Amino acid sequence: MHTRKIIFVKEVIQSDGSGLQCDPITRVAVLAVLANPFAGRHGVDLSSLFDAGGEMGGKLMGQAVTMLDAAPVSYGKAAIVGVAGELEHGAAMIHPKLGKPMRAAVGGGKALIPSNAKLGAMGAQIDLPLGHKDEAWSFPHFDTMTLGVPDGPRPDEIVLIMGVSDGSRVHPRVGSGPITD
């Protein structure tokens, strides 16, 4: 698949919204803008998108991890599909083969990788969900990054997004495990 551009976003959070300082939390996302070979047509065999997701994960996730300031603890994946595509095209990119290279890059990953996909016009944003890589019920690590590409996705493109974090939310005060009634 043709890659039009790759964007890396690194943010270092040093305080909460009220200005209360915290230990720095680094979150990194990589957004790859790719041609969608199925745009404008129905495809039954989407395996080329499975493979492309895995390839991009293997190629880019390690670079994202190296941009962190500490070891990765959270991860997530997402896709924005241009309006000539289908939601299923995004699912094909992020589900079947992307997880393995993401887990390899973060050094494990026992927990399900949180994900999100949507159809969107150029400039659409998506909330990339983040969750702890090994502890699915670590509430302090339930987080999001809102991301988008100003000139993408074009109608015939897919924006594939992967993210990692080296910390939880700023000053988490909501739970540390499963809620039981």
Side-chain angles (χ1 to χ4, degrees):
M1 286 178 60
H2 173 72
T3 303
R4 182 164 63 89
K5 68 167 64 177
I6 297 169
I7 301 166
F8 287 90
V9 175
K10 178 178 180 176
E11 63 182 23
V12 181
I13 302 163
Q14 299 179 358
S15 68
D16 66 13
S18 65
L20 183 61
Q21 294 291 308
C22 65
D23 290 335
I25 301 164
T26 304
R27 301 188 305 185
V28 175
V30 57
L31 299 85
V33 182
L34 309 163
N36 181 354
F38 295 98
R41 66 183 182 89
H42 179 80
V44 176
D45 179 4
L46 302 178
S47 60
S48 62
L49 295 176
F50 304 169
D51 295 338
E55 281 180 35
M56 294 308 291
K59 178 179 175 183
L60 299 173
M61 192 62 182
Q63 291 177 53
V65 168
T66 65
M67 294 173 69
L68 291 174
D69 295 328
V73 295
S74 297
Y75 56 9
K77 58 189 178 179
I80 307 171
V81 180
V83 296
E86 301 174 29
L87 184 59
E88 196 68 6
H89 300 158
M93 292 287 297
I94 64 176
H95 292 306
K97 293 190 177 181
L98 182 56
K100 186 174 182 177
M102 288 184 70
R103 285 182 174 85
V106 300
K110 297 175 190 172
L112 185 70
I113 303 170
S115 64
N116 192 8
K118 69 186 252 182
L119 289 176
M122 191 176 298
Q125 294 188 325
I126 193 166
D127 287 334
L128 170 70
L130 297 171
H132 196 284
K133 68 183 185 78
D134 294 314
E135 300 294 333
W137 289 103
S138 178
F139 286 25
H141 292 89
F142 294 174
D143 201 357
T144 59
M145 291 179 74
T146 301
L147 299 158
V149 177
D151 66 342
R154 294 176 179 163
D156 61 349
E157 292 178 332
I158 299 172
V159 179
L160 176 65
I161 306 164
M162 296 163 274
V164 288
S165 176
D166 62 14
S168 66
R169 294 186 312 275
V170 177
H171 305 302
R173 297 175 300 280
V174 179
S176 61
I179 296 173
T180 56
D181 294 330

